Amino acid sequence: LLLIPLVLLHRRHRGRRTPPFSLLVVAGSGGHTTEILRLLSCLSESYSPRHYVLADSDKMSEAKIRSFEQKRAETFSESQFSLDRIPRSREVRQSWISSVLTTLHSILYSLPLTYKRKPDLILCNGPGTCVPVCLSAFLLGLLRIKRTIIVYVESICRVETLSLSGKILYYFSDYFIVQWPDLKKKYPKSVYLGRIV
């Protein structure tokens, strides 16, 4: 899965840059963090440093990430990671109108963070927090400040319809991965790889 963007990055920067590749990972409450950490467990040490972004009200994800990184450090001694927090862009069952305002608020925090980290690759899988982060990275690319590859992996629980984050980022991601064939039929830009988490 993640060799595709790696190959593209290598081609684009051939002669100018060698790995490692800076990776920004958007974690989310609930099963999102568990799924994203399963994906990360397959990555080599070339994906370093890893910058995690979580919602400011998400306490459980931080513990999971620290535990994951502690185990990873046993294998890769040069392992580097950071944790950053931004305001949550949308609460569960929050109204659409207020969601627009809270998402704009979250984008204001995401822009300087994305500019500071300047990741080569963003990996996310559906928490609402990923929308402002990916939009900020997309904007930095439009302004020619930093081009970041965005890989969106729709959650395994999404069988027939996309999440709200997926419906938005379908148009902004470089690679949109789905885990069920029905979604591939409905969204032709997506890449169906079967179950990957």
Side-chain angles (χ1 to χ4, degrees):
L1 161 69
L2 293 177
L3 288 178
I4 296 169
L6 179 61
V7 169
L8 291 174
L9 275 172
H10 176 70
R11 286 181 184 166
R12 188 159 20 113
H13 296 293
R14 193 180 309 169
R16 293 185 299 169
R17 180 176 173 153
T18 58
F21 296 100
S22 175
L23 174 66
L24 192 147
V25 180
V26 184
S29 55
H32 290 293
T33 298
T34 302
E35 285 185 16
I36 207 81
L37 292 178
R38 283 184 193 154
L39 285 173
L40 290 176
S41 66
C42 301
L43 295 182
S44 72
E45 71 257 56
S46 295
Y47 292 88
S48 181
R50 286 169 304 287
H51 305 291
Y52 295 92
V53 177
L54 354 145
D56 54 7
S57 59
D58 184 357
K59 306 300 179 200
M60 292 179 64
S61 293
E62 181 175 351
K64 289 180 182 178
I65 291 166
R66 289 191 182 281
S67 175
F68 170 80
E69 286 293 338
Q70 187 176 12
K71 288 177 185 171
R72 188 175 177 90
E74 294 170 6
T75 306
F76 305 113
S77 58
E78 300 293 321
S79 187
Q80 298 176 17
F81 78 99
S82 66
L83 287 165
D84 294 295
R85 294 185 175 274
I86 61 171
R88 189 178 288 274
S89 59
R90 183 173 186 268
E91 297 288 347
V92 177
R93 296 185 189 88
Q94 184 177 346
S95 72
W96 289 100
I97 293 172
S98 64
S99 292
V100 172
L101 296 175
T102 54
T103 299
L104 288 172
H105 181 243
S106 189
I107 288 173
L108 290 176
Y109 279 81
S110 299
L111 269 169
L113 174 62
T114 310
Y115 178 79
K116 174 185 173 186
R117 297 298 184 195
K118 291 188 176 70
D120 297 307
L121 176 67
I122 291 179
L123 179 62
C124 54
N125 68 335
T129 308
C130 71
V131 174
V133 173
C134 291
L135 291 179
S136 298
F138 184 77
L139 180 60
L140 292 180
L142 287 178
L143 296 173
R144 297 180 181 259
I145 294 171
K146 170 66 178 178
R147 171 71 173 100
T148 300
I149 292 177
I150 299 172
V151 177
Y152 182 91
V153 181
E154 186 59 277
S155 175
I156 188 74
C157 66
R158 289 295 175 165
V159 179
E160 296 180 353
T161 61
L162 296 179
S163 62
L164 178 58
S165 300
K167 288 174 182 175
I168 295 168
L169 294 179
Y170 179 75
Y171 301 99
F172 297 97
S173 60
D174 296 285
Y175 297 94
F176 193 93
I177 313 296
V178 294
Q179 302 185 61
W180 295 95
D182 287 350
L183 288 177
K184 171 62 181 170
K185 292 174 189 171
K186 292 179 183 177
Y187 299 93
K189 175 194 164 187
S190 66
V191 178
Y192 169 63
L193 298 175
R195 292 187 179 190
I196 58 175
V197 295

